[in-house]
Amino acid sequence: MRSSFRRLAADHAALHEELPPNYLFPTEESSDDLTQLTTLLAGPQGTPYSQGLWRLHLKMPEDYPKSPPKATFKTRIWHPNVEESTGAVCVDTLKRDWKSTLTLKDVLVTISCLLIYPNPDSALNSTAGALLQEDYDAFARQAKLMTSIHAPVPPDLKTAVVEAKSRGEEAGTLIPEHEGTGEAQCDTATIDPNQRRHPRQQPRIRR
């Protein structure tokens, strides 16, 4: 338990020192409970989610980092890998690919990259997953519509959202490698828009 607390404290401190691209902290006072984390995720540029802002919650288990956090969108999002009614996130990094060396920052980056590269083969929202595979343009229209209804950026946060996104343009979006201990980059600035029409295609990685 003590080692888990030390690790949680270090992970939280790293986030307060520098959040990943597209993330910002809520304006309200944060909790002192290190087993929970709430952030705001701005939709990455060039995606159907680019005009949205979502509240994302992480809940860390008692044996963290041996076991992964549970990630939940508290703002409704229409996405193949998010259960629409509960906001539960399905991504391999938080299941079979979890490693104790991964940090909360790695988790946040993985989820932001999920908005860039949805995985229809592991869909919790089967309707969104099927549409993504069958007709990307129709999928994008529906995702944009749902974003405009449920997750518009509040006027008082627009400046903060622009700043959060600019971090992504400057540095790219980091995603943890499944092999080894290094980091890879999910390049949000140079992705060909047509690449997103082929959901099975893997992200282009910069090292």
Side-chain angles (χ1 to χ4, degrees):
M1 178 67 72
R2 186 172 299 176
S3 61
S4 177
F5 178 83
R6 287 197 299 267
R7 172 60 186 275
L8 281 170
D11 281 9
H12 277 272
L15 289 174
H16 281 277
E17 181 177 337
E18 183 180 20
L19 274 170
N22 299 312
Y23 280 95
L24 54 154
F25 284 115
T27 54
E28 65 267 22
E29 186 174 345
S30 60
S31 170
D32 293 331
D33 183 0
L34 295 181
T35 65
Q36 301 191 58
L37 174 68
T38 298
T39 60
L40 300 178
L41 170 58
Q45 287 298 115
T47 73
Y49 304 99
S50 63
Q51 300 303 307
L53 183 67
W54 289 267
R55 182 176 290 264
L56 179 69
H57 181 261
L58 299 184
K59 174 64 177 176
M60 280 61 77
E62 289 185 359
D63 62 346
Y64 177 84
K66 181 179 179 181
S67 297
K70 293 187 181 298
T72 306
F73 277 90
K74 295 300 185 180
T75 307
R76 187 173 176 181
I77 183 171
W78 196 78
H79 186 285
N81 306 114
V82 181
E83 211 290 319
E84 193 169 10
S85 62
T86 66
V89 177
C90 178
V91 61
D92 285 343
T93 301
L94 298 182
K95 293 184 177 180
R96 62 186 180 187
D97 290 339
W98 175 256
K99 296 179 180 179
S100 61
T101 54
L102 296 175
T103 66
L104 294 182
K105 182 178 288 188
D106 293 325
V107 172
L108 293 182
V109 171
T110 297
I111 293 173
S112 67
C113 281
L114 200 62
L115 299 191
I116 303 171
Y117 296 103
N119 179 10
D121 294 328
S122 182
L124 288 179
N125 183 332
S126 58
T127 301
L131 190 58
L132 174 61
Q133 290 182 308
E134 296 166 3
D135 187 340
Y136 177 83
D137 289 335
F139 164 81
R141 287 194 298 271
Q142 181 66 13
K144 288 178 181 179
L145 175 62
M146 296 295 281
T147 296
S148 68
I149 294 172
H150 299 290
V153 178
D156 61 326
L157 290 179
K158 286 186 176 180
T159 299
V161 166
V162 170
E163 292 175 353
K165 289 186 176 186
S166 69
R167 272 186 269 123
E169 293 173 357
E170 293 167 1
T173 302
L174 296 176
I175 56 174
E177 290 183 331
H178 292 309
E179 301 295 336
T181 58
E183 288 182 327
Q185 287 190 328
C186 172
D187 189 348
T188 62
T190 61
I191 294 170
D192 181 350
N194 291 324
Q195 189 177 15
R196 295 197 185 92
R197 298 175 185 272
H198 306 284
R200 294 179 185 275
Q201 190 169 351
Q202 294 299 311
R204 291 191 294 173
I205 299 298
R206 297 191 311 176
R207 298 187 188 281

